[in-house]
Amino acid sequence: QVQLVESGGGSVQDGGSLKLSCAISGDIFNTCEMGWFRQTPGKERELVASVTHDDTTNYSDSVRGRFTISQDNAKNTLLLQMNTLKTEDTAVYYCAAKIYVLDIDVFKCPTDFRFWGQGTQVTVSF
């Protein structure tokens, strides 16, 4: 089990920057992938960025080149640096994690994120 708490959301003008943080506690050493998702009312939650245990990153097309996901292992924190924000980036942002699960006799990283934070609101206005 891991516990996730996001912070750093807020209001910013179009073109501005914000940095989101996700404090991670619990079974930290068994995390195999971490991610940031976002959701707006009436829409599906979408993956924004993710990072695996070997630091492989993945970004949605809409944020690639503007957002950067990183991990501060010393502080057990997942970060999302968001630059050149646009009004369409307005959403509730969620931190998520996968931990290894035992499949018969092998530990595997599951396909779905199973642990979630409570979310933090990001609002971008003109």
Side-chain angles (χ1 to χ4, degrees):
Q1 299 278 341
V2 291
Q3 293 77 45
L4 307 170
V5 179
E6 303 96 335
S7 62
S11 297
V12 65
Q13 287 193 320
D14 183 66
S17 298
L18 277 177
K19 189 172 188 177
L20 303 184
S21 298
C22 175
I24 311 162
S25 60
D27 199 5
I28 298 168
F29 296 106
N30 275 329
T31 58
C32 52
E33 187 172 358
M34 300 288 300
W36 286 99
F37 288 73
R38 67 186 181 188
Q39 189 171 26
T40 54
K43 292 189 176 182
E44 294 283 324
R45 190 173 297 186
E46 64 169 347
L47 176 67
V48 174
S50 64
V51 57
T52 64
H53 66 94
D54 60 356
D55 291 329
T56 300
T57 57
N58 178 52
Y59 295 93
S60 69
D61 290 342
S62 61
V63 307
R64 188 175 292 111
R66 300 188 297 121
F67 291 11
T68 302
I69 188 171
S70 62
Q71 299 181 97
D72 184 337
N73 292 324
K75 296 182 179 180
N76 296 330
T77 303
L78 181 71
L79 304 169
L80 184 68
Q81 178 65 48
M82 305 185 294
N83 297 328
T84 320
L85 282 160
K86 305 176 182 181
T87 55
E88 52 262 43
D89 294 318
T90 295
V92 178
Y93 284 71
Y94 297 90
C95 175
K98 300 178 184 179
I99 63 173
Y100 288 105
V101 294
L102 186 61
D103 183 358
I104 304 177
D105 58 352
V106 178
F107 282 96
K108 295 182 179 179
C109 193
T111 57
D112 57 324
F113 287 87
R114 300 182 179 181
F115 300 93
W116 296 86
Q118 82 289 350
T120 185
Q121 176 71 46
V122 171
T123 303
V124 185
S125 58
F126 287 114

